[in-house]
Amino acid sequence: MCGIVGYTGFRQAYPVVLKGLKRLEYRGYDSSGVAMVQPDGLALLKKKGKVAELEEFAIGKNLASQICIGHTRWATHGEPSDRNAHPHLSQSGEIAMIHNGIIENYAPIKAELIKKGYTFNSDTDTEVLLNFIDDIKKENACTLEEAVRIALKRIVGAYCILLVHKDDPETIIAARKGSPLVIGIGKGEHFLASDASPIIEYTKEVVYVNDYEIAIIKPDELILKNLGNEKQTPFVQKLDMELAAIEKGGYPHFMLKEIFEQPQTIFDCLRGRLLPQENNIILSGIDKYAAEITAANRIIIIACGTSWHAGLVAEYIIEELCRIPVEVEYASEFRYRNPIVQKGDVIIAISQSGETADTLVAIENAKEKGAIILGVVNVVGSSIARLSHAGAYTHAGHEIGVASTKAFTGQLAVLMMMAFKLGYAKGTISQERFTQLSQELSTVPEKVAKVLEQDDAVKAIALKYADARDFLYLGRGYNFPIALEGALKLKEISYIHAEGYPAAEMKHGPIALVDEHLPVVFVATKDSFHEKVVSNMQEIKARKGKIISIITEGDEVSPTLSDDVIVLPAIDEIIAPLINVIPLQLLSYHIGIAKGLDVDKPRNLAKSVTVE
Ligand code: M6R
């Protein structure tokens, strides 16, 4: 949550930071701001709203400086406003700070500071931490770096902070715990950001700062220390990312671009791993733990949001193919409910960002109890990836649209490969079934491309129903999680109330919602439950609901019950979720656009939820 950018070097810093903030806006867009060190002190500019508002506000102001920190906010403490926007300025006026995260014990610290006579200009926990640092600096007559170190030892919560001091036009002090920070290393310049996208244009050499590390960054120098003041050796990595990957490439929105990238991203995810001709699936991370996983008494899948839906699909598939009991947990519930985790339990953590706070803490707890943690993560080098014992990246590339699309299909592709591989290794599926599933999975990129050819047809359906007040999404078996995902996408992008439900469960309550105004989306492709789903369609039809059905080519019955149909290529029911979700992504996109909404930055959301 929140995006942070910093620059110190030989260039004019503001344009570098502003561009970086635009790239990180997917992380939060309630307000934004920058702080620069200038000859007469600190210059702060901040504005409620998107980065464009800040850019407008900055026109005509003195922006000259070779050092700048900037922030784009997803509000936690205090409403979105100019006053609560970052950077904050210490009461002394000497230090400016930006923060991504939450300081959980801010209240007692604030009380202490108030007793000492401090007053606050915002409702944020950030301003409390900043004044705490300033106060320590004064009381101990120490450097800013030392004051930060002392303060952080008392802090409970998550943070990535960047600070600049009015008398130091070269140095940025940064520290992190639980919120990401990447430092880009240039020649005579350094870049700091929440992810690599603001940096990639300038350098490919980066350092991912670890938890409890403090960085002292000058144009020509990067010093990393732990909270015990011991120097750490920075581990310099090469970014495997191109600038084109983070630009829209001719599409009007990142979401549409990312939906259309899926034939390629799924292909990239399968490449070199799914080897049907050799009758093999190579997932090198997982291979190391294959014996423990196949022998596990149970698998617990932990995730949030869309990633949780991928986990539900995996539950159905792993239980079917591997005959291992699977539980799928919301990370936010799991971490607080004292769950039973035993040595040898296998946990699969699924996360696009690899930084979701609830998922991160949930797996930290499980790891302490002896569980084996497997990460299915998109962002390389992210916290969850690093915390996991092993795992497999989804290789979906940088996902910028706040609504997850290509990361979801990447997750499904990885989880399917895992299930096929483990089922075969365990002997719960035959070689013939393994080969057939592998071969069918390899056809997915081509089939997804075929589904995308129907974009205009989906758009026409979207325009027809864009004014609906509610939507119901129904599916059974492997398609039930896809119904949930379709409903979530619609809620996020169009602000239309939508519910996903198991198709048969619908008659135990939600059927009361059905009338001639309610569009009901059936994920009704050919599978073992198909006839039952058709009966559920009859039940909706009898109550005059409007039926939009996602069906398999050759199905002649469903169209007779449906108002609108989207026809998909046939594929094994276990793999079908990978294809069936595509029209639902397009449907929500086109409804959002028809309603004139910002589909890449839906209100109240942020791409990466690094607070609990
Ligand atoms: O980065 P993660 O996969 O851990 O994020 C989990 C959820 O926050 C995320 O899937 C969220 O639900 C998306 N907005 C869905 O489109």
Side-chain angles (χ1 to χ4, degrees):
M1 215 56 68
C2 304
I4 62 171
V5 187
Y7 175 81
T8 176
F10 54 84
R11 301 171 202 250
Q12 282 304 313
Y14 170 78
V16 175
V17 169
L18 187 79
K19 202 186 233 185
L21 289 179
K22 287 184 181 164
R23 295 233 168 96
L24 290 186
E25 217 175 0
Y26 70 89
R27 300 177 69 88
Y29 31 85
D30 292 334
S31 62
S32 61
V34 291
M36 292 155 287
V37 183
Q38 292 178 333
D40 52 353
L42 290 168
L44 265 72
L45 300 174
K46 37 195 210 169
K47 211 68 204 137
K48 180 180 168 188
K50 295 185 176 154
V51 177
E53 317 274 337
L54 173 72
E55 190 174 15
E56 175 86 27
F57 177 64
I59 293 172
K61 308 258 180 345
N62 176 11
L63 303 168
S65 180
Q66 287 163 325
I67 183 167
C68 180
I69 55 174
H71 186 271
T72 177
R73 178 172 188 246
W74 185 85
T76 56
H77 290 62
E79 56 167 13
S81 62
D82 292 353
R83 195 168 80 76
N84 287 327
H86 299 214
H88 291 281
L89 190 61
S90 62
Q91 189 161 295
S92 65
E94 291 179 0
I95 310 167
M97 184 171 105
I98 54 177
H99 169 216
N100 168 26
I102 283 193
I103 306 303
E104 288 171 20
N105 59 340
Y106 80 98
I109 296 174
K110 186 171 185 176
E112 266 175 45
L113 291 170
I114 289 172
K115 267 197 205 150
K116 288 182 162 181
Y118 281 82
T119 54
F120 291 88
N121 298 314
S122 75
D123 310 314
T124 64
D125 50 344
T126 306
E127 196 188 4
V128 175
L129 174 56
L130 170 60
N131 279 317
F132 184 45
I133 292 170
D134 199 22
D135 189 58
I136 291 171
K137 184 171 179 305
K138 290 207 163 50
E139 291 222 328
N140 295 276
C142 62
T143 61
L144 179 57
E145 174 202 332
E146 189 56 29
V148 168
R149 187 173 13 262
I150 298 170
L152 293 182
K153 286 187 181 156
R154 265 200 61 195
I155 292 304
V156 179
Y159 55 81
C160 172
I161 50 172
L162 304 192
L163 303 96
V164 286
H165 191 280
K166 75 172 185 38
D167 297 331
D168 189 341
E170 290 211 316
T171 312
I172 298 175
I173 307 283
R176 74 153 268 185
K177 194 237 143 184
S179 302
L181 176 61
V182 192
I183 301 176
I185 302 169
K187 286 194 173 60
E189 57 183 350
H190 282 107
F191 305 83
L192 299 93
S194 301
D195 74 31
S197 58
I199 296 174
I200 182 77
E201 171 169 1
Y202 307 99
T203 176
K204 288 206 164 183
E205 304 230 307
V206 295
V207 171
Y208 289 90
V209 178
N210 292 311
D211 277 350
Y212 303 109
E213 281 181 347
I214 296 181
I216 303 101
I217 305 134
K218 297 177 192 289
D220 284 312
E221 190 178 40
L222 161 63
I223 298 174
L224 273 187
K225 292 183 178 177
N226 63 16
L227 290 188
N229 202 23
E230 292 159 335
K231 278 201 176 171
Q232 308 292 300
T233 311
F235 174 51
V236 181
Q237 302 187 38
K238 266 231 147 18
L239 280 177
D240 181 19
M241 187 193 215
E242 294 305 326
L243 191 58
I246 54 171
E247 292 181 335
K248 284 189 197 148
Y251 286 91
H253 301 96
F254 282 112
M255 182 179 178
L256 193 63
K257 175 184 175 234
E258 287 159 6
I259 292 173
F260 272 83
E261 276 173 353
Q262 288 175 109
Q264 186 62 48
T265 54
I266 297 170
F267 179 79
D268 290 343
C269 179
L270 302 177
R271 186 174 41 198
R273 294 166 154 179
L274 181 75
L275 306 167
Q277 288 86 352
E278 295 165 31
N279 224 3
N280 197 4
I281 291 175
I282 300 173
L283 290 170
S284 39
I286 309 293
D287 288 346
K288 278 189 266 168
Y289 286 87
E292 285 90 337
I293 306 170
T294 43
N297 289 326
R298 63 171 179 162
I299 293 175
I300 306 170
I301 297 180
I302 299 178
C304 302
T306 286
S307 300
W308 187 81
H309 296 153
L312 275 188
V313 175
E315 175 190 23
Y316 283 46
I317 298 178
I318 294 172
E319 291 204 341
E320 171 68 25
L321 301 182
C322 312
R323 309 310 295 156
I324 302 173
V326 180
E327 291 160 33
V328 187
E329 298 268 2
Y330 285 115
S332 53
E333 288 296 310
F334 186 81
R335 64 180 283 197
Y336 282 118
R337 67 169 183 78
N338 193 17
I340 300 166
V341 178
Q342 285 156 352
K343 199 166 174 8
D345 279 345
V346 171
I347 306 264
I348 303 178
I350 308 174
S351 176
Q352 186 287 127
S353 61
E355 300 293 346
T356 300
D358 285 322
T359 310
L360 191 57
V361 178
I363 62 170
E364 261 166 12
N365 295 347
K367 194 175 180 184
E368 273 165 25
K369 292 180 180 163
I372 296 168
I373 314 291
L374 306 178
V376 176
V377 173
N378 193 38
V379 177
V380 176
S382 55
S383 301
I384 293 174
R386 287 186 287 159
L387 193 75
S388 303
H389 289 108
Y393 283 116
T394 46
H395 295 314
H398 200 68
E399 191 180 65
I400 294 174
V402 166
S404 187
T405 53
K406 62 176 182 171
F408 178 69
T409 47
Q411 292 165 346
L412 292 184
V414 165
L415 292 162
M416 284 175 190
M417 285 191 282
M418 268 168 83
F420 301 173
K421 189 177 170 66
L422 295 173
Y424 186 35
K426 200 166 179 243
T428 40
I429 57 170
S430 65
Q431 178 171 337
E432 291 68 39
R433 181 76 168 131
F434 176 78
T435 308
Q436 175 251 330
L437 285 169
S438 300
Q439 267 160 359
E440 291 221 27
L441 186 57
S442 70
T443 67
V444 166
E446 179 196 316
K447 287 182 175 161
V448 168
K450 270 204 131 23
V451 178
L452 290 169
E453 285 170 12
Q454 299 189 57
D455 184 38
D456 285 343
V458 179
K459 183 174 174 184
I461 297 172
L463 293 177
K464 194 166 157 190
Y465 296 102
D467 292 328
R469 202 188 58 181
D470 308 283
F471 263 73
L472 194 56
Y473 285 71
L474 301 174
R476 291 177 91 126
Y478 305 107
N479 282 327
F480 160 53
I482 298 305
L484 292 180
E485 175 59 10
L488 179 66
K489 283 291 88 92
L490 189 71
K491 277 184 271 208
E492 286 184 292
I493 297 303
S494 70
Y495 318 151
I496 294 175
H497 166 246
E499 284 196 43
Y501 240 77
E505 185 65 20
M506 163 269 299
K507 57 185 166 299
H508 298 285
I511 198 165
L513 299 171
V514 180
D515 63 14
E516 68 277 22
H517 304 296
L518 183 77
V520 182
V521 179
F522 273 92
V523 191
T525 45
K526 273 273 166 73
D527 56 21
S528 345
F529 320 93
H530 186 62
E531 280 168 17
K532 309 249 174 242
V533 178
V534 170
S535 307
N536 300 137
M537 271 188 209
Q538 299 274 16
E539 290 156 5
I540 297 290
K541 182 96 191 143
R543 286 156 187 89
K544 300 194 167 48
K546 299 277 177 264
I547 297 180
I548 305 161
S549 53
I550 314 291
I551 62 170
T552 308
E553 57 196 2
D555 177 355
E556 285 170 6
V557 182
S558 305
T560 64
L561 299 168
S562 308
D563 295 273
D564 295 279
V565 291
I566 300 165
V567 184
L568 306 187
I571 196 152
D572 191 285
E573 62 180 0
I574 283 191
I575 300 169
L578 254 172
I579 292 180
N580 297 354
V581 73
I582 308 291
L584 304 185
Q585 296 170 344
L586 288 171
L587 186 67
S588 62
Y589 170 80
H590 287 300
I591 293 179
I593 295 296
K595 293 174 85 74
L597 299 172
D598 184 346
V599 294
D600 282 339
K601 300 187 202 90
R603 71 179 177 205
N604 303 337
L605 289 174
K607 182 74 183 158
S608 170
V609 185
T610 55
V611 295
E612 57 174 286

